[in-house]
Amino acid sequence: MNTIVKNLALALGIFAIEIGSTATANTSNQTQLLAQATTPTIKIDGSSTVYPITNAIAKEFQADPANKGQVEVKISGTTGGFEKFCAGKTDISNASRPILQAEMETCKKNGVRYMEFPIAFDALTIAINPQNDWAKDITVAELKKMWEPAAQGKILRWNQVRSTWPDRPLKLFGAGDKSGTFDYFNEAIVGKAKLTRKDYTPSEDDEVLANGISKDPNALGYFGYAYYQENESKLKLLAVDNGKGAILPSTETVEKNQYQPLSRPLFIYVNLRSSTNRKLLSKFVLLYINKVAKIADSVGYVQLPSAVRDINYINFNKGKTGTVFGGKARINSKISDLLPKKPVY
């Protein structure tokens, strides 16, 4: 009998400990969930090209204990980012092209009034594998021959593009169709934003493309210049000839408007008016405007002149909404194109 009582007491003790542990775990989980629910969060999504800049600024912002909030930076491509932004699901949209007319209409329909801030210039880069010892440059016409819809299933070898290149398989890597890089590249090279062959390896993440090219001797692809610089030891650049000689992407060739038609502005779009975290978001955007030139330069993009930064400050302080690009992804853009124009919402 005593043995039974002892065993019962032991079992009840273990049960009580388990109940207590479960209750403690549940309380801990509830505390974490409550903290997450009450901590203000700036939600950012969009371009993988802009991601390195925004992510660096987010880290600096969160390192300051005076900024009581979180910054969440995700990648879904410029188009994917605008889908969320214009639905009111994010506070900031990273973009490697200006907002388009259809996106403007969606934002207007959903009451999302956005502020447009140019942040840097990018040289959209054509990269190959370092083992490629035959290609030194490529013309815009040859790029079109590679990427136009008519090339699908037909232009499959390097010597089909240029007869002096070897009879080797051509493996293409490029932006996915939710990417602003996809839109800009096809507009500049093929002639229309959504017009391209489909038999290539796509991704909205430029890091994925850079890694793919670095592992395939027969590869060619395109992405933002910062990702080339990050992977410089395992990639090789191709100079692009638009009829005025072969030009490599660089800070100097972008500033002098020589690397065309693949130089393009980068942006963030901010939904300050309907954000639930306006105070925190305002602090973040002001830090962004102040720091972006230095950070853009450090990650491999071309910083904009101080006049553009001053315009960004003025537009922010005035709460000026809209875009100066008229709902189009402008090809052959110059840095001077970012100077004052009347925005349209």
Side-chain angles (χ1 to χ4, degrees):
M1 185 68 175
N2 288 338
T3 302
I4 294 172
V5 171
K6 287 179 180 178
N7 289 340
L8 180 60
L10 181 61
L12 288 171
I14 293 170
F15 181 65
I17 291 170
E18 289 177 347
I19 291 278
S21 298
T22 302
T24 302
N26 286 340
T27 301
S28 177
N29 289 338
Q30 288 172 358
T31 302
Q32 289 176 357
L33 289 171
L34 184 62
Q36 290 172 1
T38 55
T39 301
T41 302
I42 297 170
K43 294 184 178 181
I44 307 174
D45 208 326
S47 167
S48 64
T49 306
V50 179
Y51 174 85
I53 301 174
T54 300
N55 193 49
I57 292 173
K59 287 180 179 178
E60 184 167 335
F61 183 79
Q62 291 182 128
D64 185 346
N67 297 323
K68 306 296 184 182
Q70 297 295 313
V71 184
E72 178 184 277
V73 189
K74 295 184 177 181
I75 295 172
S76 61
T78 296
T79 300
F82 274 131
E83 287 174 359
K84 296 175 184 178
F85 181 76
C86 292
K89 296 179 180 179
T90 56
D91 302 296
I92 295 176
S93 207
N94 292 331
S96 59
R97 59 159 172 78
I99 190 169
L100 301 179
Q101 188 65 47
E103 293 159 345
M104 292 168 66
E105 293 300 322
T106 303
C107 278
K108 185 178 290 188
K109 177 183 175 182
N110 293 326
V112 174
R113 297 187 68 84
Y114 48 83
M115 305 174 78
E116 178 183 75
F117 297 107
I119 58 166
F121 243 73
D122 178 29
L124 214 167
T125 299
I126 309 299
I128 55 177
N129 187 283
Q131 293 182 47
N132 182 326
D133 59 1
W134 59 89
K136 310 297 181 187
D137 56 57
I138 192 164
T139 68
V140 171
E142 287 168 339
L143 283 170
K144 181 178 181 180
K145 188 176 183 180
M146 279 184 180
W147 287 97
E148 63 186 349
Q152 184 166 323
K154 296 179 180 178
I155 304 299
L156 304 174
R157 307 191 72 80
W158 279 90
N159 65 341
Q160 290 178 282
V161 180
R162 187 183 291 185
S163 60
T164 56
W165 286 343
D167 184 12
R168 297 181 61 142
L170 174 65
K171 302 294 181 67
L172 296 175
F173 292 78
D177 62 7
K178 295 292 185 183
S179 168
T181 299
F182 173 89
D183 292 336
Y184 190 92
F185 179 83
N186 289 304
E187 183 87 40
I189 299 301
V190 181
K192 192 173 181 180
K194 301 295 183 184
L195 206 63
T196 187
R197 69 188 300 168
K198 297 179 180 178
D199 54 341
Y200 70 98
T201 301
S203 178
E204 274 75 22
D205 188 339
D206 291 355
E207 192 67 51
V208 172
L209 300 175
N211 285 334
I213 296 166
S214 72
K215 294 173 183 176
D216 191 333
N218 297 306
L220 176 144
Y222 64 90
F223 42 76
Y225 188 61
Y227 287 89
Y228 164 72
Q229 291 207 318
E230 188 177 317
N231 297 277
E232 189 171 358
S233 63
K234 55 184 182 180
L235 295 173
K236 182 178 172 182
L237 285 179
L238 270 189
V240 176
D241 188 346
N242 66 359
K244 298 180 181 179
I247 302 292
L248 285 167
S250 69
T251 298
E252 183 180 7
T253 58
V254 171
E255 287 177 340
K256 291 183 177 180
N257 198 37
Q258 295 172 334
Y259 187 70
Q260 292 291 358
L262 295 179
S263 294
R264 56 176 181 164
L266 305 176
F267 305 87
I268 59 169
Y269 288 79
V270 180
N271 177 12
L272 188 61
R273 291 193 179 183
S274 54
S275 171
T276 56
N277 304 310
R278 290 186 65 180
K279 186 175 180 181
L280 186 71
L281 184 57
S282 293
K283 288 183 70 176
F284 180 78
V285 173
L286 284 173
L287 178 70
Y288 206 121
I289 293 170
N290 188 44
K291 297 287 187 177
V292 67
K294 182 178 179 180
I295 289 177
D297 184 64
S298 71
V299 299
Y301 295 131
V302 178
Q303 61 177 284
L304 298 177
S306 58
V308 176
R309 182 198 61 197
D310 294 343
I311 292 165
N312 282 340
Y313 273 128
I314 291 167
N315 288 344
F316 176 81
N317 289 326
K318 289 184 176 180
K320 188 173 288 187
T321 59
T323 174
V324 300
F325 285 84
K328 297 178 181 179
R330 305 271 182 89
I331 306 304
N332 292 319
S333 293
K334 301 182 289 293
I335 291 176
S336 61
D337 291 338
L338 303 178
L339 296 174
K341 291 183 178 68
K342 184 178 179 180
V344 176
Y345 174 71

